[in-house]
Amino acid sequence: MTEETQHTFLDEVTTIPGGERLRTCIQCGTCGGSCPSGPAMDYTPREIFALIMAGERERVLKSNTFWFCVSCYYCTIRCPQEIPITDIMYQLKRLAIKAGYYRASITNFSETFVGQIETYGRSFELGLATAHYLRYHPIESVRMSPLMLGMVTRGRMAFRPKRIRGIRPLRAILRKAKELGGEW
Amino acid sequence: MRYAYYPGCSLERNAAAYDESFRLVAEVLGMELVEIPDWNCCGATEYFSLDLLPAYALVARNLALVPEDLDQVVAPCSACYYNLLKTDKNMAAYPKLASAVNESLAAGKLHYTPGRVRSRHALDVILEDFSLEDLAAHVEKPLRGIRLAAYYGCVTVRPMGHDDPEYPIRMERLLKALGATVVEFSLRANCCGGHMTQLDAETAYEMLHYLLRNAAKLDVDALVTACPMCQLNLDAYQGQVNSHFGTDFHIPILYFTQVMGLAFGIDPDALGFGQEIVSAERVLEKFRNPPEEEEKKPRRKRRDKDALPMPEPLSGGGR
């Protein structure tokens, strides 16, 4: 690993608002200790940060760590260096997708969700969740049927959201935003 | 008082009980809710995982659509609230981001000036714009003898909440003002797992089991929440957790606006009671036939004399 690549990866990660704080990480481990899904992660957030500093781009982006982040923000508020850790996890998700390190059962959930927004302007997470579940966890779905039945009988289930009136201008806005792209 | 109202997608269907009860409670309190015309989804946690600028532009469209004469928006869903707040704050702090978002919005003939609209969670609005005395004055049927614990989850209080991010206490104060027996739930700001049920069921069930197991020890009649994601996970997946761990939890998960409405004397059906998967019928029974005397708090089991020393638990009777 050359000096140059090390810097490149850290730079890539820190482009988000407040991301520069990552350079001040003292490896205290408060993040991992606060993480409710930490035990399921390949590397705890602290380890991920050490790997980022070491320029281990592929190991970081291929890990499951950031996909298991549940956005609870415990690490963010507890970090003594005020690193926006949760936002960095989102940044790692985006970088992993860009790099093609894809986890179909996870990434597709986000993509289907976003697809729904681009089609209707609104989302219906439960209908989407059901469709996602059937596709990626067909065996488990059988055990889920009482849940689905309960939701249907209580009027809490729909498969399609309502379409907003301004769907065309919304699509134009999103198209423009994608075109501008960039990192923030 | 007039507020722009952003219900968000969950409240349209799966969390309709939250929408219905919030609107009714707001009416009693004299809040006028003006729904943002043709609002769109906030993107939840998903859009920010994929593409940053469209994610911000998506949220900003809603802020731009807030009628000119209104300067605050109330969102009952914690994810919506946080996305609205985060977008406004980051646009204000990073002018480069603000101009890129506005360049995108211009494609839809919209513009948003950061700082124009203050984004607020429904729980904050109720507890900041009304005093506990104001709220108590509307109570027609106190929730006497009903043991309730507040469950806040994450983004209502973190990272930009108005209460303590680790040990929030506002909802407990509200429940007490409604006449309920408040039980302090030490995991009240822990995470329900968010969308984890879709990604890794095992991990999700473990997180939910941790919450339910500890709530069950408190012998509560219901957990009271302020977030549709928390409600969905703890309510709809409670049966899955039971079959996965061989447990027998039966803890109804209600919205704080539902129990407020109940105390305000509003019909439970109108408040969306009955839409929950884990039936809250026993709560309603207790409400209709309040116990003669305030129930005594069950005595905690004596600890094993060989156990390690532990700090005294916080009082179970509220503050």
Side-chain angles (χ1 to χ4, degrees):
Chain A
M1 205 60 64
T2 67
E3 190 73 9
E4 203 179 325
T5 47
Q6 287 183 18
H7 286 148
T8 311
F9 186 43
L10 184 58
D11 289 345
E12 256 185 289
V13 176
T14 54
T15 52
I16 55 164
E20 285 297 317
R21 301 286 314 163
L22 180 59
R23 297 178 196 274
T24 69
C25 173
I26 53 171
Q27 288 286 301
C28 69
T30 303
C31 41
S34 305
C35 185
S37 46
M41 290 175 174
D42 291 338
Y43 308 106
T44 63
R46 180 191 64 76
E47 289 172 309
I48 275 289
F49 299 150
L51 288 166
I52 293 171
M53 306 287 184
E56 294 278 351
R57 190 171 198 277
E58 197 178 320
R59 254 171 95 184
V60 169
L61 295 183
K62 277 187 171 170
S63 79
N64 73 1
T65 297
F66 38 90
W67 296 115
F68 273 76
C69 168
V70 286
S71 296
C72 77
Y73 292 90
Y74 262 125
C75 54
T76 300
I77 61 150
R78 289 178 179 173
C79 175
Q81 297 297 78
E82 297 178 355
I83 300 168
I85 300 175
T86 311
D87 293 343
I88 287 172
M89 293 298 160
Y90 278 102
Q91 170 74 341
L92 292 173
K93 290 180 199 185
R94 291 189 294 265
L95 290 175
I97 291 170
K98 228 194 261 175
Y101 301 134
Y102 219 69
R103 286 172 182 256
S105 65
I106 295 177
T107 322
N108 285 6
F109 181 69
S110 297
E111 288 194 330
T112 320
F113 192 98
V114 166
Q116 213 177 46
I117 295 170
E118 288 171 358
T119 312
Y120 300 101
R122 292 195 186 165
S123 65
F124 188 69
E125 85 280 357
L126 205 60
L128 168 68
T130 316
H132 178 83
Y133 227 86
L134 285 169
R135 181 158 167 208
Y136 291 100
H137 313 276
I139 296 163
E140 180 75 359
S141 295
V142 180
R143 287 199 276 145
M144 300 291 284
S145 49
L147 185 165
M148 299 307 169
L149 188 66
M151 296 302 279
V152 171
T153 56
R154 284 163 186 78
R156 291 173 62 177
M157 191 65 131
F159 284 88
R160 262 186 204 90
K162 285 186 195 161
R163 190 191 295 264
I164 63 167
R165 289 191 307 278
I167 187 67
R168 290 164 72 99
L170 173 64
R171 284 185 198 143
I173 291 169
L174 297 177
R175 212 169 27 241
K176 184 71 189 172
K178 282 180 199 167
E179 190 187 305
L180 292 171
E183 287 302 334
W184 312 95
Chain B
M1 240 175 303
R2 293 177 81 226
Y3 304 81
Y5 180 42
Y6 181 78
C9 303
S10 286
L11 273 75
E12 278 200 302
R13 183 62 73 102
N14 126 55
Y18 197 6
D19 181 60
E20 289 155 14
S21 56
F22 178 55
R23 286 177 192 267
L24 288 169
V25 163
E27 200 182 313
V28 172
L29 294 174
M31 296 166 61
E32 192 190 329
L33 302 178
V34 182
E35 191 167 327
I36 297 179
D38 207 38
W39 54 268
N40 57 258
C41 177
C42 77
T45 52
E46 310 309 329
Y47 219 144
F48 281 98
S49 311
L50 295 180
D51 211 347
L52 204 52
L53 192 57
Y56 277 119
L58 183 77
V59 183
R61 179 179 176 271
N62 295 310
L63 292 168
L65 288 171
V66 170
E68 281 297 328
D69 61 329
L70 295 173
D71 60 1
Q72 51 183 333
V73 57
V74 49
C77 167
S78 299
C80 298
Y81 150 74
Y82 179 59
N83 279 341
L84 291 165
L85 185 66
K86 175 165 113 175
T87 300
D88 182 50
K89 297 264 184 236
N90 280 346
M91 281 178 74
Y94 302 92
K96 221 178 92 185
L97 174 69
S99 69
V101 167
N102 272 320
E103 204 179 328
S104 311
L105 287 179
K109 297 191 171 54
L110 290 171
H111 179 88
Y112 177 69
T113 310
R116 179 171 81 82
V117 179
R118 191 170 153 219
S119 302
R120 306 176 69 196
H121 192 284
L123 184 67
D124 291 331
V125 168
I126 286 177
L127 287 163
E128 284 166 17
D129 297 3
F130 303 91
S131 68
L132 289 173
E133 292 72 31
D134 289 342
L135 297 170
H138 288 286
V139 172
E140 285 183 11
K141 297 176 181 168
L143 307 176
R144 203 152 58 78
I146 301 180
R147 292 175 60 82
L148 298 178
Y151 176 65
Y152 299 77
C154 307
V155 287
T156 315
V157 292
R158 275 190 311 278
M160 289 198 235
H162 292 204
D163 204 334
D164 189 286
E166 304 250 5
Y167 295 103
I169 195 68
R170 286 183 169 188
M171 216 186 328
E172 280 83 350
R173 289 191 182 132
L174 169 68
L175 297 175
K176 198 176 174 193
L178 302 176
T181 303
V182 181
V183 185
E184 216 172 304
F185 183 29
S186 58
L187 303 180
R188 59 191 181 269
N190 269 51
C191 183
C192 74
H195 69 184
M196 188 56 76
T197 50
Q198 303 311 309
L199 307 187
D200 188 279
E202 180 84 28
T203 304
Y205 295 164
E206 273 171 21
M207 292 173 77
L208 291 169
H209 179 250
Y210 180 54
L211 294 171
L212 292 167
R213 175 164 55 95
N214 283 286
K217 279 185 202 159
L218 302 173
D219 191 28
V220 288
D221 292 315
L223 280 185
V224 179
T225 180
C227 169
M229 189 81 243
C230 296
Q231 202 284 340
L232 179 70
N233 277 336
L234 286 165
D235 179 33
Y237 289 91
Q238 201 170 126
Q240 303 298 122
V241 171
N242 279 336
S243 58
H244 190 80
F245 290 94
T247 49
D248 189 23
F249 300 128
H250 182 100
I251 305 175
I253 316 295
L254 298 171
Y255 292 107
F256 76 98
T257 44
Q258 287 182 290
V259 294
M260 276 181 88
L262 211 54
F264 286 2
I266 302 168
D267 173 37
D269 286 342
L271 294 165
F273 276 86
Q275 290 179 26
E276 69 283 352
I277 302 285
V278 178
S279 170
E281 194 47 45
R282 274 190 288 188
V283 177
L284 291 179
E285 255 167 53
K286 220 169 172 179
F287 175 69
R288 289 186 203 108
N289 311 297
E292 287 296 311
E293 264 177 71
E294 187 88 352
E295 265 183 60
K296 283 222 176 86
K297 156 177 101 163
R299 197 183 283 188
R300 290 183 71 92
K301 280 191 200 128
R302 187 190 285 266
R303 287 173 51 79
D304 183 342
K305 66 177 167 50
D306 296 323
L308 289 168
M310 289 285 280
E312 276 300 299
L314 294 167
S315 102
R319 288 180 187 175

